[in-house]
Amino acid sequence: MANKNFVEELEWRGMIHTIMPGAKEQLQKEMTTAYLGIDPTADSLHIGHLVGVMILKHFQMCGHRPIALIGGATGMIGDPSGKSQERNLLDEATLRHNQEAIKAQLAKLIDFESDAENKALLVNNYDWMKDISFLDFSREIGKCITVNYMMAKDSVKKRFNGEGDGMSFTEFTYQLLQGFDFLHLYQTHNCKVQLGGADQWGNITTGTELIRRKLGSEAEAFAITCPLITKADGTKFGKTESGNVWLDPRYTSPYKFYQFWLNVSDEDAERYIKIFTLLDRQTVEALIEEHRQAPHLRLLQKRLAEEITVMIHSREEYEKAVEASQILFGGATSEALRKIDEQTLLQVFDGVPQFTIEKSQLGVSFVDLCADATKVFPSKGECRKMVQAGGVSLNKEKVTDPMRVVTEEDLIAGKYLVAQRGKKNYYLIIVE
């Protein structure tokens, strides 16, 4: 893919919002270094970061050299772009921990280790900012950019016009600090392009202006931004009722991660499959066409969920997630139910009616368990009738005798029973 054109690749994927004149020519002329800033406020990336990471991935695959910049110093301040409140500031130990965790996640997608000329680099702006005095910064950087120029930026204007609680001096200087990052990387790594979200345009162009004013008009630097991803209904992408969808399995299990992509709308699936997978144009267009012919099969969502779950977690975790999904929606077996871990089991049955009983209540017949100890059935008569009709199962095994005794041996993970009435009615019985 090294002979592919980066801008053309991103354009068909719908991943370019604004591109500075000359950027395209620069990328065609030679192997170019570009950087993208990542906010280290947590020790995991979430799917909101994934657009930027995919852009770095494409950049490297097209033969260029990506730099991932962890905003250790700027993370201590907080970027005002797109926000109306100041952020919590982090201490250095937390930032270093977060940096290592983020690098491990990035390394799954971007090559930092090989001998390739365009292997990626991870840097932290705290390393070059921590020793600069306020006086030096004011004299060397502050005098290059006018307050008028900084005030004209949309992110600043909004806050000055009464959005939120106004803007502190700390936040006002943010664009200068980000500009200084670009200048530093330009001078130390010949980095000529900054990549970022559309809301970063103001900060990025401050950097290109700073480079020009500091080093002269022959110093060329460029900006490329991608659109901010939203859902088709206009709501924020990547948020669920329980918060962010994280890449770290400690915060979002592979099952929940897989389910997120599986449940996106048809319209969103058509956009996301271009942005969040590496499938080529021909494959994507064929998938979209196939999906439109039979949308009820949800082919796009299934392929999107597969590609991205394998890429972020692994083929094995993807297969486990599919198997877990089959428990509710397909013909999964008792064996599959017993194989899934407790966390995934609880997520699969999140939202189904639950009953809690004591272990001493086991050792009774199935009909007593379901109509007396719990309310799976409103009456014993109804339970018997449905068992005889073949419409009842316990732990995915058909119940043929309503008087069969339920014992501790039936428990999944030592504490759960899954009762099913008909095709769609599930009940989770928790035994304490």
Side-chain angles (χ1 to χ4, degrees), residues 120-381:
L121 190 65
L122 185 101
V123 295
N124 186 331
N125 60 12
Y126 184 75
D127 294 332
W128 59 82
M129 283 193 188
K130 67 178 189 292
D131 298 324
I132 294 177
S133 74
F134 180 72
L135 289 174
D136 286 343
F137 189 81
S138 298
R139 191 179 62 189
E140 297 299 321
I141 304 302
K143 72 179 171 78
C144 296
I145 302 285
T146 66
V147 169
N148 310 46
Y149 179 87
M150 293 168 74
M151 292 278 286
K153 303 289 182 183
D154 282 343
S155 58
V156 175
K157 268 198 284 199
K158 279 180 189 165
R159 294 283 286 274
F160 269 78
N161 293 337
E163 197 175 291
D165 301 328
M167 185 182 236
S168 66
F169 172 77
T170 306
E171 284 191 303
F172 182 59
T173 58
Y174 187 92
Q175 59 175 295
L176 278 185
L177 291 172
Q178 188 167 329
F180 180 54
D181 285 342
F182 202 172
L183 173 66
H184 175 84
L185 293 174
Y186 185 97
Q187 291 178 302
T188 54
H189 297 288
N190 194 29
C191 176
K192 293 186 177 176
V193 179
Q194 187 180 161
L195 307 162
D199 61 337
Q200 291 293 310
W201 183 256
N203 291 337
I204 298 174
T205 50
T206 297
T208 61
E209 186 66 11
L210 179 62
I211 288 167
R212 193 179 63 76
R213 292 188 186 184
K214 192 86 180 140
L215 305 176
S217 55
E218 66 283 354
E220 289 189 305
F222 305 96
I224 300 175
T225 62
C226 64
L228 296 177
I229 306 301
T230 55
K231 292 200 282 199
D233 61 9
T235 56
K236 194 167 182 181
F237 163 75
K239 290 273 189 187
T240 63
E241 283 173 24
S242 53
N244 281 320
V245 178
W246 299 93
L247 305 197
D248 190 316
R250 290 174 304 161
Y251 304 135
T252 301
S253 71
Y255 168 76
K256 272 211 158 164
F257 185 84
Y258 168 76
Q259 284 292 327
F260 172 84
W261 299 103
L262 198 60
N263 289 314
V264 301
S265 70
D266 289 352
E267 199 179 329
D268 286 336
E270 285 194 17
R271 286 188 305 138
Y272 296 169
I273 199 142
K274 296 173 187 171
I275 295 168
F276 298 108
T277 77
L278 296 169
L279 297 172
D280 62 60
R281 188 170 191 167
Q282 205 179 343
T283 306
V284 166
E285 286 172 353
L287 273 168
I288 289 173
E289 190 46 47
E290 204 180 338
H291 177 86
R292 286 177 180 171
Q293 300 299 323
H296 62 284
L297 297 177
R298 298 181 73 74
L299 295 172
L300 263 188
Q301 285 91 337
K302 286 175 183 171
R303 187 63 183 275
L304 170 68
E306 176 183 357
E307 292 290 325
I308 199 161
T309 306
V310 170
M311 183 168 67
I312 298 302
H313 294 293
S314 66
R315 171 67 56 187
E316 186 191 355
E317 289 297 346
Y318 159 73
E319 282 165 4
K320 278 196 219 162
V322 171
E323 209 164 76
S325 301
Q326 292 294 321
I327 288 162
L328 273 188
F329 310 113
T333 60
S334 169
E335 189 190 353
L337 184 60
R338 290 182 181 279
K339 259 180 17 190
I340 63 172
D341 60 88
E342 185 176 4
Q343 184 196 14
T344 306
L345 178 89
L346 290 172
Q347 287 172 351
V348 168
F349 293 103
D350 182 30
V352 310
Q354 297 186 1
F355 302 101
T356 303
I357 63 169
E358 290 178 11
K359 236 175 207 172
S360 58
Q361 290 174 273
L362 292 175
V364 296
S365 68
F366 179 79
V367 70
D368 284 340
L369 178 78
C370 290
D372 280 348
T374 66
K375 290 293 170 214
V376 171
F377 285 91
S379 69
K380 291 183 181 181

